[in-house]
């Protein structure tokens, strides 16, 4: 799935929806659209906030705060979900 592609603003589909569901369940704000499967500016902001929080929680991870969901960000999203 995400091993082959990066999700970013403008991406759409079930992968984006899954990311949004995880972020929302952890309390990140997705704006009025919520979980809609579209990687909006609000989703990007939520991902950036998540990435910053990961760097605080796991300083050795050095996640780049770019608002994109690559394999490293996806790893921590899945880890946070379990």
């Amino acid at each position: 799935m995400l091993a082959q592609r990066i999700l970013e603003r403008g991406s759409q589909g079930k992968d984006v929806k899954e990311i949004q569901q995880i972020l929302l369940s952890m309390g990140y704000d997705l704006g009025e659209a919520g979980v809609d499967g579209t990687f909006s500016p609000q989703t990007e902001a939520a991902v950036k906030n998540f990435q910053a929080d990961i760097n605080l929680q796991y300083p050795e991870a050095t996640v780049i705060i770019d608002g994109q969901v690559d394999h490293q960000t996806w790893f921590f999203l899945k880890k946070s979900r379990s």
Side-chain angles (χ1 to χ4, degrees), residues 40-55:
S40 65
Q42 292 82 5
T43 300
E44 181 180 64
V47 170
K48 284 181 180 179
N49 289 333
F50 173 75
Q51 290 168 328
D53 290 344
I54 288 301
N55 283 336

Side-chain angles (χ1 to χ4, degrees), residues 2 5-13 15-17 19-20 23 30 33-48 51 66-70 73 77:
L2 286 175
R5 67 184 192 132
I6 293 174
L7 297 177
E8 58 190 351
R9 190 188 299 195
S11 298
Q12 296 182 345
D15 293 340
V16 174
K17 199 170 191 175
I19 289 163
Q20 290 172 326
L23 290 167
L30 297 175
V35 178
D36 65 355
T38 299
F39 203 116
S40 65
Q42 292 82 5
T43 300
E44 181 180 64
V47 170
K48 284 181 180 179
Q51 290 168 328
D66 58 5
Q68 298 179 344
V69 179
D70 58 9
T73 299
L77 281 166

